Amino acid sequence: EYGHDLQRRKVSETHYVGNVAAVANHYNARPEVGVEGREFSPIIGLKKFNNWIKSVLIGKFAHRSQGRVLDLGCGKGGDLNKWKQARIRLYVGIDIAETSIEQAASRYQRMRSSFDGYFYAYDCFSKPISNILPEQLQMKDLYDNVTMQFCMHYAFESASKARMMIENVSRYLRRGGVFMGTIPNAELLLSRLDALPEDDQELRFGNSCYFVQFTERKHKGIYGHQYRFFLTDAVEDVPEYVVDWENFEALALEYGLKLVYKKPFHDILQEEKETRDFGPLLGKMGVVNEYGESAMDEDQWEAANIYMAFAFEKFR
Ligand code: SAM
């Protein structure tokens, strides 16, 4: 239907608008260590927990089988296996970091997948993805799911980027299809900022595995409220943007997407840890050991809850 050849297209010319060059360079430079290498990460417990969260989202909201998936900001393709488990038939991954896209494509080639995979290096927040997708991958109602994991917040640099992002998300998603994602919890970030002592000049909080640093104490509108984020062995001091939830939800509604799920990561664990579908996965994915003890220390556990997950259903 889509042709069985892996399609990989590199953008010969990448136009960076705003801060994306810093973001793309950062992710391009991160080494691919493979599954074995990953075990040596000082935050391996947190990485496994984040993977479990994504599996929960996919388990809850993926089309039952034969689904078609668009993954924006797909990175190195870390979710390819999770989507394989969901028995999809088509996966299209797009990311601004060319090196990551190459790694995603080669991971796909190695995995002996049962679905078609297409990979593109492209900035999904500045231009329509119709510029890069072949016609058969940009048909109306084509996708059952659009997923954006740990990346949507980069779009909230400006109104125009956030709009371009949501336009790209919604345009080819079918009615009844689900858009799912994970982002930092703005309410939590801003309440931690507000809780800093008045004479604090650094505007920084965190612990041994992460920090968040704001440049201004004042809450700054709904777009462009920048902070710097650092997470050991994952994100090295990259500019990110607060996602004002009310504004995001209103924006999504304009594009035919209504909220069906919104939860901080800690609450997801609380709610799902004993369910038949996701409880056993905690052990299988190494989030807990055979005695049920967490693979995360206190600091990783605190870092985990910076994030929240969401899902929207397309209603028109
Ligand atoms: N979704 C992947 C995952 O869960 O493993 C990768 C997450 S990584 C923290 C964030 C990703 O967002 C990076 O791969 C980065 O290159 C991508 N990204 C940032 N800005 C982007 C943009 N404008 N267009 C496409 N991808 C972007």
Side-chain angles (χ1 to χ4, degrees):
E1 200 176 341
Y2 314 99
H4 285 272
D5 296 336
L6 165 75
Q7 291 211 351
R8 206 173 354 145
R9 192 166 133 195
K10 268 188 156 185
V11 271
S12 48
E13 210 185 339
T14 312
H15 296 287
Y16 291 132
V17 182
N19 256 320
V20 277
V23 175
N25 292 341
H26 169 265
Y27 285 105
N28 272 329
R30 284 212 59 77
E32 164 70 340
V33 293
V35 180
E36 297 86 34
R38 199 184 71 142
E39 285 298 322
F40 295 105
S41 169
I43 57 155
I44 182 62
L46 176 57
K47 289 186 174 177
K48 288 177 171 173
F49 178 65
N50 286 343
N51 271 319
W52 178 80
I53 291 276
K54 292 193 280 184
S55 294
V56 170
L57 267 186
I58 291 171
K60 278 181 169 304
F61 299 110
H63 192 56
R64 221 165 260 153
S65 78
Q66 296 293 300
R68 300 177 177 110
V69 178
L70 176 62
D71 191 346
L72 302 179
C74 66
K76 302 179 172 70
D79 295 341
L80 279 165
N81 251 315
K82 302 180 191 74
W83 285 108
K84 182 182 176 182
Q85 305 284 330
R87 300 193 301 274
I88 59 169
R89 77 168 98 163
L90 171 70
Y91 175 95
V92 178
I94 311 181
D95 197 286
I96 194 169
E98 293 188 11
T99 314
S100 300
I101 276 296
E102 279 167 18
Q103 288 164 356
S106 83
R107 181 181 287 209
Y108 167 78
Q109 277 170 323
R110 276 181 279 122
M111 73 191 279
R112 272 199 264 142
S113 56
S114 41
F115 56 89
D116 291 332
Y118 297 81
F119 299 86
Y120 301 92
Y122 193 70
D123 179 348
C124 307
F125 307 155
S126 300
K127 295 165 287 181
I129 53 174
S130 56
N131 287 351
I132 195 155
L133 293 176
E135 244 162 57
Q136 73 271 26
L137 296 181
Q138 52 165 302
M139 290 187 303
K140 192 173 172 304
D141 296 334
L142 180 63
Y143 298 98
D144 301 290
N145 289 113
V146 177
T147 173
M148 289 192 79
Q149 303 301 331
F150 299 102
C151 59
M152 196 191 74
H153 42 293
Y154 295 115
F156 282 72
E157 183 178 357
S158 65
S160 63
K161 281 195 175 188
R163 279 191 180 273
M164 192 75 258
M165 176 278 293
I166 202 82
E167 158 83 21
N168 281 334
V169 164
S170 179
R171 186 159 198 127
Y172 311 106
L173 182 62
R174 71 165 167 82
R175 212 162 115 183
V178 175
F179 162 45
M180 63 184 93
T182 42
I183 49 170
N185 182 346
E187 225 178 288
L188 182 140
L189 294 180
L190 294 177
S191 72
R192 291 287 303 267
L193 172 66
D194 292 344
L196 292 172
E198 259 175 45
D199 58 350
D200 183 297
Q201 302 286 321
E202 271 200 311
L203 303 180
R204 175 175 158 146
F205 55 85
N207 61 32
S208 69
C209 71
Y210 84 97
F211 72 71
V212 169
Q213 181 157 30
F214 280 89
T215 40
E216 281 180 73
R217 191 178 274 276
K218 204 168 80 260
H219 296 193
K220 194 189 153 204
I222 45 180
Y223 295 109
H225 192 177
Q226 195 192 98
Y227 57 89
R228 310 205 60 103
F229 185 62
F230 173 93
L231 178 65
T232 299
D233 195 37
V235 184
E236 275 143 46
D237 203 5
V238 174
E240 300 194 350
Y241 300 90
V242 171
V243 180
D244 179 280
W245 183 268
E246 253 178 60
N247 171 56
F248 167 48
E249 204 180 322
L251 189 66
L253 201 60
E254 263 186 59
Y255 287 79
L257 301 159
K258 72 162 194 278
L259 183 69
V260 291
Y261 186 83
K262 177 193 177 202
K263 267 185 208 329
F265 281 13
H266 279 187
D267 295 2
I268 298 178
L269 179 66
Q270 212 46 42
E271 225 172 84
E272 305 291 352
K273 66 182 179 192
E274 276 155 20
T275 60
R276 210 185 48 179
D277 287 344
F278 307 118
L281 266 189
L282 283 167
K284 274 189 213 145
M285 296 181 76
V287 184
V288 298
N289 66 16
E290 55 192 304
Y291 308 107
E293 296 159 344
S294 171
M296 282 177 280
D297 61 22
E298 283 292 319
D299 283 0
Q300 289 175 53
W301 177 235
E302 181 189 316
N305 207 42
I306 290 178
Y307 291 94
M308 57 190 249
F310 62 77
F312 289 82
E313 190 181 306
K314 179 129 177 222
F315 64 92
R316 70 167 142 78

